[in-house]
Amino acid sequence: MAVLTLPWTGLCPAKEPSYPGDLTRRKVEVLRLVAAGRGDREITEDLIIGVRTVSTHVGTILNKTGANNRAEAANYANRQSPIPPVSKNES
């Protein structure tokens, strides 16, 4: 993977943390809430996103983790050592 250098500063942008299962930061946020027993509507309120977006994220999480349902996805989340925290500073 090539490293992008910002030519006017000589600096490289911060590297995104690596999340398990090739999940994105947002999907990890959704997975944490699923593991906490939250439903789609509760997740929409917590993350201020649409219910269809949550449903899509949950489907992607199930596919990427090999889980058949939310309970298995929660079990996957709990087996990670631990899933790296999601920083509010990441955009």
Side-chain angles (χ1 to χ4, degrees):
M1 177 176 174
V3 176
L4 174 67
T5 302
L6 304 175
W8 59 91
T9 65
L11 301 174
C12 296
K15 183 182 175 194
E16 278 284 318
S18 177
Y19 295 113
D22 198 30
L23 297 174
T24 63
R25 178 185 59 84
R26 185 55 126 188
K27 286 175 183 58
V28 169
E29 290 174 328
V30 172
L31 179 56
R32 286 177 187 280
L33 294 171
V34 166
R38 303 281 180 125
D40 286 0
R41 295 252 180 229
E42 294 170 305
I43 294 170
T44 64
E45 293 170 8
D46 287 346
L47 300 180
I48 311 171
I49 57 177
V51 71
R52 288 188 63 180
T53 302
V54 171
S55 179
T56 299
H57 283 325
V58 170
T60 302
I61 290 165
L62 296 179
N63 286 332
K64 287 189 172 188
T65 62
N68 292 312
N69 53 49
R70 294 168 81 99
E72 287 183 13
N75 187 25
Y76 172 88
N78 291 326
R79 285 192 324 260
Q80 301 309 305
S81 55
I83 291 178
V86 176
S87 168
K88 294 290 183 187
N89 296 333
E90 295 174 25
S91 305

